[in-house]
Amino acid sequence: RHAVCIFYLVLRALDTVEDDMSIPLDVKVPMLQEFHSYLYQPEWKYMESKEKDRQVLEDFPTISMEFRNLSKVYQDVISDICHKMGVGMAEFLEKKVDSQHEWDEYCHYVAGLVGIGLSRLFSASELEDSIVGQDTELANSMGLFLQKTNIIRDYLEDQMEGREFWPREVWSRYAQKLSDLAKPENMEMAVQCLNELITNALHHVPDVLTYLSRLKNQSVFNFCAIPQVMAIATLAACYNNKQVFRGVVKIRKGQAVTLMMDATNIQAVKAIMYQYVEEIYQKIPSTDPSSNKTQQVIASIRAMSLPGSSVASRHHYSPIYLSCAMLLAALSWQYLSTLSKATEEYVQAGEN
């Protein structure tokens, strides 16, 4: 618990540096690249940030002190991931996401590394087998699925704030500029572009199911599974939906709480995944350029997630346990931004 908490706060601090547009590039780039070294500098802090989360930088000595109090096995994981993420963030400050390969690379730096780091912490704690931390490809897919969902859903918000994360290789086939997709006259092409990116994201689901099937500890399973079922529900809501280009597409609070309550074992998660890919399948337009690819990836997910019965099994836990599990899951989810500001609403709804 302490290692995951400190991991979150260290990456929150790193992310706050990346997000702060008031820091000039000649200061920000070396700061990101060297950020991991500040963990071993008891006095280091940064007082010039204008970001809403600046407290994590202003009070960094408290975070770094707790970091140095962790077991060395945890320190090594957190420092290593922080270093790799800082270098990757610095790289993408100075270049845009052009190819689909670069999209995967960017998502790896900001989210895949979180999945890899958490997996290594799970194994280091001996709550999970060593394979969970060693199989970096599956752990990376866990992060990529969440991050791509977030990027897809947040098209309009990112456009309004001057950020572009959709890969040029894809959107340039549908529009001259990424911002053109929001124009009413381009809506048909915009939705086709959206569907292609959702199809890309769905390719991570088989890895997600394989990863979750290896987990043995109930708390770890809930922590990992809840964000993933939220993501598939969000993609199902976004698929072929013009609203992505007009406002925010959210899953309902009650739906979110039901997912939190249900996603407590691998068979239940498979049933949830099956349900939402079927929902997407029913919405595939015959004229969509990606329709064949979408059907193919859904077929591969179906093969892995066919439920054994019409009703997935559900474990029952005390309300206190569920509240704690939801809070843990929401913390992970908030960092990866897949449900962004809605997270607190979900947790509150769950506790009520």
Side-chain angles (χ1 to χ4, degrees), residues 76-122:
D76 290 347
V77 172
I78 294 170
S79 176
D80 181 48
I81 296 297
C82 183
H83 185 199
K84 289 173 179 171
M85 187 178 289
V87 169
M89 285 176 166
E91 179 184 334
F92 276 92
L93 279 178
E94 302 183 278
K95 73 174 185 180
K96 289 193 173 182
V97 178
D98 283 332
S99 67
Q100 292 184 70
H101 172 74
E102 285 175 333
W103 198 36
D104 281 359
E105 191 179 22
Y106 172 76
C107 292
H108 163 73
Y109 284 132
V110 300
L113 283 171
V114 180
I116 291 168
L118 285 170
S119 300
R120 288 168 62 185
L121 293 178
F122 299 152

Side-chain angles (χ1 to χ4, degrees), residues 314-327:
R314 180 192 293 180
H315 293 171
H316 294 276
Y317 298 101
S318 71
I320 291 175
Y321 179 87
L322 278 170
S323 295
C324 293
M326 289 177 193
L327 189 60

Side-chain angles (χ1 to χ4, degrees), residues 71-345:
S71 301
K72 186 177 184 300
V73 67
Y74 293 142
Q75 289 186 38
D76 290 347
V77 172
I78 294 170
S79 176
D80 181 48
I81 296 297
C82 183
H83 185 199
K84 289 173 179 171
M85 187 178 289
V87 169
M89 285 176 166
E91 179 184 334
F92 276 92
L93 279 178
E94 302 183 278
K95 73 174 185 180
K96 289 193 173 182
V97 178
D98 283 332
S99 67
Q100 292 184 70
H101 172 74
E102 285 175 333
W103 198 36
D104 281 359
E105 191 179 22
Y106 172 76
C107 292
H108 163 73
Y109 284 132
V110 300
L113 283 171
V114 180
I116 291 168
L118 285 170
S119 300
R120 288 168 62 185
L121 293 178
F122 299 152
S123 293
S125 70
E126 298 186 354
L127 292 172
E128 298 296 345
D129 291 337
S130 58
I131 186 64
V132 172
Q134 291 166 357
D135 196 333
T136 55
E137 188 173 340
L138 291 189
N140 188 59
S141 282
M142 293 282 284
L144 262 61
F145 186 57
L146 300 185
Q147 187 66 21
K148 286 181 177 181
T149 298
N150 177 57
I151 287 172
I152 290 166
R153 195 207 64 165
D154 286 347
Y155 165 85
L156 195 62
E157 181 184 328
D158 287 338
Q159 279 292 302
M160 292 168 68
E161 296 189 16
R163 299 190 299 253
E164 294 192 353
F165 298 116
W166 284 25
R168 177 185 294 271
E169 180 186 339
V170 175
W171 65 254
S172 62
R173 292 199 291 270
Y174 300 92
Q176 292 291 314
K177 295 185 297 183
L178 183 55
S179 58
D180 289 345
L181 294 177
K183 295 178 179 176
E185 64 269 25
N186 297 329
M187 198 52 67
E188 184 180 349
M189 297 294 274
V191 169
Q192 290 177 359
C193 180
L194 169 70
N195 291 348
E196 181 173 345
L197 290 181
I198 290 175
T199 300
N200 176 298
L202 288 173
H203 281 90
H204 298 294
V205 173
D207 278 358
V208 167
L209 291 174
T210 302
Y211 180 97
L212 293 174
S213 70
R214 290 176 174 171
L215 301 179
K216 301 184 300 184
N217 180 277
Q218 186 68 58
S219 293
V220 172
F221 185 89
N222 290 5
F223 183 78
C224 295
I226 292 172
Q228 301 295 331
V229 296
M230 296 286 195
I232 192 68
T234 301
L235 285 185
C238 289
Y239 185 81
N240 209 48
N241 188 350
K242 297 174 183 177
Q243 189 61 27
V244 171
F245 303 96
R246 296 171 176 164
V248 180
V249 175
K250 290 184 181 179
I251 59 176
R252 300 183 311 279
K253 290 182 197 173
Q255 186 181 1
V257 174
T258 299
L259 289 170
M260 288 181 177
M261 301 280 281
D262 285 356
T264 56
N265 62 76
I266 187 60
Q267 290 307 319
V269 169
K270 285 182 176 181
I272 292 166
M273 292 289 188
Y274 186 90
Q275 171 193 338
Y276 284 110
V277 296
E278 282 300 304
E279 189 176 306
I280 292 171
Y281 185 83
Q282 296 302 322
K283 294 194 286 188
I284 299 174
S286 58
T287 55
D288 191 276
S290 304
S291 61
N292 287 341
K293 288 183 179 178
T294 311
Q295 289 167 357
Q296 286 170 12
V297 70
I298 286 176
S300 66
I301 297 168
R302 277 176 175 158
M304 289 188 71
S305 59
L306 272 171
S309 63
S310 58
V311 180
S313 59
R314 180 192 293 180
H315 293 171
H316 294 276
Y317 298 101
S318 71
I320 291 175
Y321 179 87
L322 278 170
S323 295
C324 293
M326 289 177 193
L327 189 60
L328 270 173
L331 184 64
S332 170
W333 188 244
Q334 185 179 46
Y335 178 75
L336 293 172
S337 300
T338 315
L339 283 185
S340 192
K341 296 168 187 172
T343 305
E344 290 180 12
E345 297 174 11

